[in-house]
Amino acid sequence: MSLHKQLWLAVIFILTLVFSGSFLVSSYSARNYLEQQLAMKNADNATALALSLTQQEADQVLLELTLSAQFDTGYYELIELTSPDGQVMIRREDNTAITDAPAWFMALFPIRVEPGVASVQQGWQQLGTLTLRSHSKFAYRELWQGSQKLAAVFLLAMVVFGALGSYLLKIILRPLASVVEQAEAIGERRFITIPEPRTREFRQVVAAMNNLSQRIKQVLQTEARRLEKWQREAHIDKVTGLLNREPFIQALDAALNSDDVNATGSLSLIRFGGLAEMNRQLGRKTIDQTLADMGNALGRIATSHSRWAVARMNGSDFGLLAPRAMDAGETAREVQAALLEILEKHSLRQHVDLPAASIIYQHGDTMGQLLTLLDSALQSAEQEGNSALHVARVGDIPVKPVREQLDDWRQILTRAFDRQSFTIVTFPVVDLNEQLIHQEARVRLAVDGEQLAAGLFLPWINRLELSEQLDRLVVTLAIEQIEERGEPICVNLSVAAVVDPGFIPWLSSLLSSHGEAAGQLWLELAESMAFRHLQNFRLLCTRVRSMGVRVGIEHMGHQLAELGKVSDLGIDYFKVDANFVRDVDENAANQTLLRTLCTVGHSVGVKVIAEGVQSESEWNALKELGVDGGTGPGIRQ
């Protein structure tokens, strides 16, 4: 029961008690007073009327006329004249029922009026005894009207006090809404802080809850820094600040085996020509500073694009993995230009060549084939000299220019949207007991009787700015499958879903019209996009979670320093990127990272799910590290 209802009940109860007491006391007091007044009036009137009758000299007719005239005034209930021997000489009595007050009221407060008695004389002899009793209906009327007025006053007081109390309570409890919102947010794993109210009791509660939220944030920030430190020590080249060869190769392997927008892109190698000779001529310290500046330049290029990775492959070679970059030559030239600018800054431009090779990879290519082609192209560029760039390709089929490919894909995709040629297939995500957590939806495109994997067409969807349109279609298909199969389905959203102002209202409308299915829908966004568009992602989380949708972050692990920012999002789960899952049974650094990430996630009630589990040994290792579930061919279901 709400405090407002309790207040009203308290006001009604207290004022009812007060009214009842006041009503009884005032009514009994008024009744006694009226009885006394009526008794005195009866005595006075009887005396006056007896004196008047004494002057009638015992004329029977005059006596009767006088008594009748007095009775007809309507103020008397009984006028009776009896002889000295007790015989009734004249009697007038009003026996009509009293209607001036309810029967229950008159029974509760009966008015007993003492009649007035006086002697009527005839000379020195007694003619008779006059008995007179005023009518009690007037007393009952007055007593009843007084009670009604008292009840009206108390009712008005009840309304006034209740309204005033409600208003004051509303002011006093105004901070309670914020307290309740904060408590609900903490229950939803959103550790927010609110201003402390003036009310002391509320201030103490809010201070305690704010302290809890701050501690959770501090824990997340501390663990995020620790995770980033471990990651840098294990995966980062100390001179350039870039990835080492091993995590770069793992990222490439994960991209080739993925089935999303990152499954197609470009891979480039750039070589610092004559590095060993430069070390001997200029000294390691000078060259290390140059390499550090080159690493910073490459790092800026990589961080400006989602999921790009750059590494120092060995002493003199740099590698760039650029998902969604469909022009291999353009990407490699951007890297070359950035590195040449650093060499110019260090006055080494005339002494160093930067031969480069680049190739377009796509879903289904093998890593060995790509690296072999790249090595061969890099050797050719190095032999040519003068920072040459060679673009390799898989197979003998010449690659069309990007503009022509864009035109072709625009026609294919426009026709596909018109004909509803998109479908979704699902892959299970299971818990530690191999029980289904949800089905992960992957979109497929039917072209000329062939089902194309998402990795083949999603990069073109992204370049043609059709991602938001595809997101709407995939969510709709997922809702239809949920209603048909009754299983929870997870949809991977693109960045367009959170930045397009029309998507969230559309999604809210769709979920409202499919309330049951909404409770089995899971939505997730890539880590890089979630942190880059944090405010939009927060709005999405708030809106869909109110309808029962679960929200998560996929490809987690690349921006661990940002982990503290999820404390107020209400995230339900993380999906750890396949880069950190690959060979985790043998990689101690990734084991440490995953174990800590699981601990941090569980401390704030977030599930941790592993992506791309390739083998049973990986799955067993992940179980030991504390993950809550996983997906991939290495999991038996």
Side-chain angles (χ1 to χ4, degrees):
M1 184 183 298
S2 69
L3 286 175
H4 285 86
K5 288 184 179 179
Q6 293 183 41
L7 172 67
W8 273 103
L9 289 177
V11 169
I12 292 172
F13 178 73
I14 292 173
L15 289 183
T16 299
L17 287 179
V18 174
F19 169 74
S20 299
S22 301
F23 173 71
L24 291 175
V25 171
S26 63
S27 296
Y28 278 113
S29 298
R31 187 197 66 173
N32 294 336
Y33 174 76
L34 290 172
E35 286 180 345
Q36 292 174 2
Q37 292 298 313
L38 285 175
M40 294 171 61
K41 177 178 178 294
N42 288 341
D44 291 344
N45 289 351
T47 301
L49 186 56
L51 181 60
S52 176
L53 292 177
T54 298
Q55 296 175 0
Q56 304 300 324
E57 299 181 354
D59 187 325
Q60 184 69 22
V61 175
L62 288 176
L63 290 175
E64 188 168 350
L65 287 173
T66 301
L67 291 179
S68 295
Q70 191 71 21
F71 181 79
D72 289 342
T73 60
Y75 294 112
Y76 301 98
E77 183 180 359
L78 174 68
I79 297 179
E80 183 182 65
L81 180 63
T82 58
S83 63
D85 59 2
Q87 296 295 319
V88 177
M89 299 172 58
I90 301 173
R91 181 183 178 89
R92 297 288 185 272
E93 185 176 9
D94 185 359
N95 292 319
T96 58
I98 300 174
T99 58
D100 296 82
W104 65 266
F105 183 79
M106 294 186 293
L108 183 62
F109 303 104
I111 298 177
R112 297 176 178 85
V113 182
E114 291 293 329
V117 179
S119 297
V120 179
Q121 302 290 326
Q122 185 179 10
W124 295 102
Q125 295 181 353
Q126 184 178 359
L127 178 61
T129 301
L130 179 65
T131 303
L132 181 147
R133 186 168 65 242
S134 295
H135 211 301
S136 60
K137 66 179 180 180
F138 301 105
Y140 278 121
R141 179 192 301 168
E142 194 65 28
L143 188 60
W144 172 242
Q145 288 178 350
S147 299
Q148 286 180 311
K149 291 176 182 178
L150 180 64
V153 169
F154 270 93
L155 182 61
L156 179 61
M158 185 183 300
V159 173
V160 172
F161 289 144
L164 182 61
S166 293
Y167 176 72
L168 293 176
L169 186 64
K170 184 178 180 180
I171 294 176
I172 294 171
L173 296 182
R174 188 171 294 165
L176 184 61
S178 298
V179 176
V180 171
E181 181 182 353
Q182 186 184 34
E184 291 177 344
I186 290 176
E188 295 172 354
R189 299 175 298 282
R190 294 186 294 113
F191 298 94
I192 63 174
T193 57
I194 61 175
E196 294 185 6
R198 295 181 179 179
T199 307
R200 185 179 64 181
E201 290 78 7
F202 289 156
R203 186 168 64 248
Q204 292 173 343
V205 173
V206 170
M209 295 173 71
N210 281 345
N211 187 40
L212 171 63
S213 296
Q214 289 294 344
R215 288 188 177 184
I216 293 296
K217 289 182 179 180
Q218 289 173 3
V219 167
L220 285 175
Q221 291 169 355
T222 301
E223 292 303 324
R225 288 192 294 268
R226 186 180 302 171
L227 282 170
E228 186 185 25
K229 180 181 177 181
W230 283 337
Q231 191 177 37
R232 292 188 64 84
E233 290 177 351
H235 296 160
I236 303 299
D237 176 67
K238 294 180 180 179
V239 175
T240 62
L242 304 177
L243 290 175
N244 292 323
R245 178 182 178 84
E246 181 182 356
F248 182 82
I249 293 299
Q250 290 175 345
L252 174 61
D253 187 33
L256 294 175
N257 286 283
S258 67
D259 190 20
D260 56 19
V261 70
N262 301 305
T264 300
S266 70
L267 178 64
S268 303
L269 288 178
I270 301 95
R271 178 165 292 167
F272 190 123
L275 178 61
E277 182 64 25
M278 297 297 295
N279 271 326
R280 285 193 298 270
Q281 292 180 2
L282 301 177
R284 181 172 296 276
K285 184 176 181 180
T286 300
I287 297 302
D288 282 354
Q289 183 59 54
T290 303
L291 290 172
D293 291 345
M294 295 173 74
N296 290 332
L298 293 176
R300 286 193 295 271
I301 293 174
T303 54
S304 65
H305 299 82
S306 172
R307 297 298 302 279
W308 282 28
V310 61
R312 187 181 185 188
M313 305 294 288
N314 52 45
S316 59
D317 290 353
F318 297 91
L320 174 68
L321 177 66
R324 302 177 306 282
M326 307 306 295
D327 191 328
E330 179 183 352
T331 305
R333 279 188 288 272
E334 179 183 0
V335 174
Q336 268 188 324
L339 296 183
L340 288 171
E341 184 177 343
I342 299 299
L343 293 176
E344 187 75 37
K345 176 182 174 182
H346 288 269
S347 302
L348 297 175
R349 177 68 183 84
Q350 303 300 322
H351 307 285
V352 178
D353 281 337
L354 293 176
S358 188
I359 191 171
I360 293 293
Y361 72 86
Q362 63 181 359
H363 180 75
D365 288 342
T366 63
M367 184 164 52
Q369 181 185 27
L370 290 173
L371 293 178
T372 299
L373 290 171
L374 265 183
D375 284 337
S376 176
L378 184 60
Q379 289 178 10
S380 299
E382 189 174 24
Q383 291 173 3
E384 186 175 332
N386 198 27
S387 300
L389 167 65
H390 280 201
V391 177
R393 63 176 183 270
V394 178
D396 298 325
I397 302 175
V399 178
K400 289 184 179 181
V402 173
R403 185 178 298 277
E404 290 185 25
Q405 294 184 68
L406 272 176
D407 292 338
D408 292 344
W409 276 105
R410 183 180 287 108
Q411 295 178 15
I412 293 171
L413 294 172
T414 301
R415 188 163 55 248
F417 279 112
D418 291 340
R419 297 178 181 179
Q420 298 293 305
S421 300
F422 293 98
T423 57
I424 59 173
V425 295
T426 58
F427 300 92
V429 177
V430 300
D431 61 17
L432 301 185
N433 297 315
E434 277 78 45
Q435 299 298 311
L436 182 69
I437 296 177
H438 62 241
Q439 296 282 358
E440 186 163 353
R442 295 295 184 185
V443 65
R444 294 290 182 263
L445 171 61
V447 178
D448 299 329
E450 181 184 358
Q451 290 284 339
L452 298 184
L456 296 176
F457 63 84
L458 281 183
W460 300 104
I461 288 274
N462 187 58
R463 294 197 66 156
L464 292 169
E465 299 182 351
L466 298 173
S467 299
E468 194 262 348
Q469 185 177 350
L470 183 63
D471 284 334
R472 295 193 183 200
L473 177 60
V474 173
V475 171
T476 303
L477 292 173
I479 290 289
E480 292 174 357
Q481 282 207 18
I482 289 172
E483 292 178 334
E484 180 182 342
R485 296 161 52 181
E487 291 182 337
I489 293 181
C490 177
V491 173
N492 313 96
L493 297 178
S494 71
V495 65
V498 295
V499 299
D500 189 286
F503 182 80
I504 294 179
W506 171 85
L507 182 61
S508 299
S509 176
L510 178 69
L511 297 177
S512 298
S513 59
H514 297 81
E516 244 182 80
Q520 292 187 288
L521 181 65
W522 298 53
L523 298 176
E524 59 191 31
L525 190 69
E527 175 194 59
S528 56
M529 293 299 100
F531 290 134
R532 184 172 296 178
H533 304 279
L534 191 62
Q535 293 302 324
N536 300 77
F537 185 49
R538 179 179 287 108
L539 177 60
L540 174 70
C541 293
T542 303
R543 187 70 64 88
V544 301
R545 280 181 56 84
S546 64
M547 301 181 184
V549 178
R550 292 175 177 84
V551 184
I553 297 178
E554 65 170 341
H555 307 322
M556 194 75 183
H558 298 277
Q559 296 177 238
L560 293 176
E562 310 290 334
L563 190 59
K565 295 180 179 179
V566 306
S567 61
D568 61 346
L569 296 181
I571 295 298
D572 292 288
Y573 63 97
F574 296 143
K575 281 187 177 176
V576 182
D577 193 272
N579 293 7
F580 309 103
V581 174
R582 190 77 74 247
D583 300 324
V584 70
D585 52 319
E586 300 174 355
N587 191 316
N590 283 345
Q591 288 175 10
T592 301
L593 185 147
L594 280 169
R595 184 182 293 108
T596 306
L597 186 59
C598 289
T599 301
V600 173
H602 295 160
S603 68
V604 292
V606 175
K607 290 185 176 181
V608 180
I609 298 171
E611 295 179 341
V613 181
Q614 295 292 321
S615 66
E616 187 174 354
S617 58
E618 287 180 359
W619 182 227
N620 291 332
L622 289 166
K623 290 180 180 179
E624 294 295 326
L625 294 173
V627 300
D628 300 289
T631 179
I635 301 176
R636 294 175 298 176
Q637 187 187 22

